[in-house]
Amino acid sequence: MQNALTLALPSGLQVLPYGIAEDADCFVVTRATARKYGLTSLADLAQHNGKLTLGASAEVKTRQVGVVGLKSVYGVEFKEFKSLDSDGPLVKGALKKGDVDVANLFTTDTDIKANDWVVLTDPRTLIPSQHIVPLVADRVADPTVRKALARLGNILTTAQLTELNRQVDKDKKDPEDVANTYAEQHGITK
C-alpha cells in the first residue's frame, strides 16, 4: 500500500514510514442498541437485516469499508442508509437521538468513550489497518525532520493520539500547544 501511495504522489512530496498509531474507520452503536440487539461485532448485524439504519458520509454507501463490504463480508443489509457527515456533528447527533442505529466514526474520536458507545469488533478484518502516514514536502524533509517523524511514528500510540484529540476537542487546547507538549515530553524536539 505504501508503494502505491508513493507512486501516486505528485513530484515534490514523499511518504515516510507509517506510524504505529491508527485512526481507523469503525462502526459504533449506543450501549442501549448493543443490549437491545445483542451487538458486539459487525457479524452480529446480519441477524437484524432490514431492521437497522446506518448513518455515515455519502461515500460509505459505495465503499468496501462500508455498505458494500458489510454486505459481501458479513451479509449485512440495512433498512436504510442516511447520508450525513464524516465523523461529525450530524452523524453523532443522529446516533444520540436514535435517528440512526449504527454510525461510521473513527477510532480516535473522543466522543466514543464520552458517550459510552460500543465499537463493533471486526472479526473478518473488513477494515484494513489505517496507520498514521507522514506526508512531507521534499524541501522540508531534511534528516532532522525525518528523524523526528520516525521517532514519533515509533512511539505515538492510538491511545495517545486519542488523548491528544481529547485535549483539543474537549479541553479546547490549542493544537500546536498540545503537539509541542507531547513532543517535549517524548524527546521529539529540535
Side-chain angles (χ1 to χ4, degrees), residues 24-99:
D25 282 90
C26 63
F27 293 90
V28 303
V29 297
T30 64
R31 181 77 50 197
T33 299
R35 279 192 210 107
K36 179 178 179 179
Y37 293 102
L39 302 174
T40 59
S41 79
L42 295 175
D44 297 333
L45 293 171
Q47 297 170 19
H48 307 285
N49 279 345
K51 296 178 187 170
L52 303 173
T53 299
L54 172 63
S57 62
E59 71 220 22
V60 172
K61 190 171 187 177
T62 57
R63 279 189 346 187
Q64 180 63 24
V65 178
V67 172
V68 173
L70 286 166
K71 182 171 177 136
S72 67
V73 174
Y74 289 105
V76 175
E77 295 182 25
F78 291 99
K79 173 176 81 175
E80 183 180 358
F81 176 86
K82 290 193 177 184
S83 180
L84 300 166
D85 55 6
S86 180
D87 195 64
L90 297 178
V91 72
K92 292 176 197 177
L95 185 63
K96 283 181 187 178
K97 291 190 298 187
D99 293 341

Side-chain angles (χ1 to χ4, degrees), residues 83-154:
S83 180
L84 300 166
D85 55 6
S86 180
D87 195 64
L90 297 178
V91 72
K92 292 176 197 177
L95 185 63
K96 283 181 187 178
K97 291 190 298 187
D99 293 341
V100 300
D101 303 296
V102 182
N104 174 228
L105 301 179
F106 300 117
T107 54
T108 62
D109 188 315
T110 58
D111 284 328
I112 294 171
K113 183 176 180 180
N115 290 289
D116 193 35
W117 291 334
V118 176
V119 175
L120 300 176
T121 62
D122 181 15
R124 297 185 190 146
T125 321
L126 167 66
I127 303 167
S129 296
Q130 295 174 345
H131 293 274
I132 303 301
V133 181
L135 174 66
V136 298
D138 291 340
R139 61 182 164 70
V140 297
D142 64 30
T144 302
V145 169
R146 294 175 72 80
K147 183 178 177 182
L149 289 172
R151 175 147 169 71
L152 177 64
N154 286 328

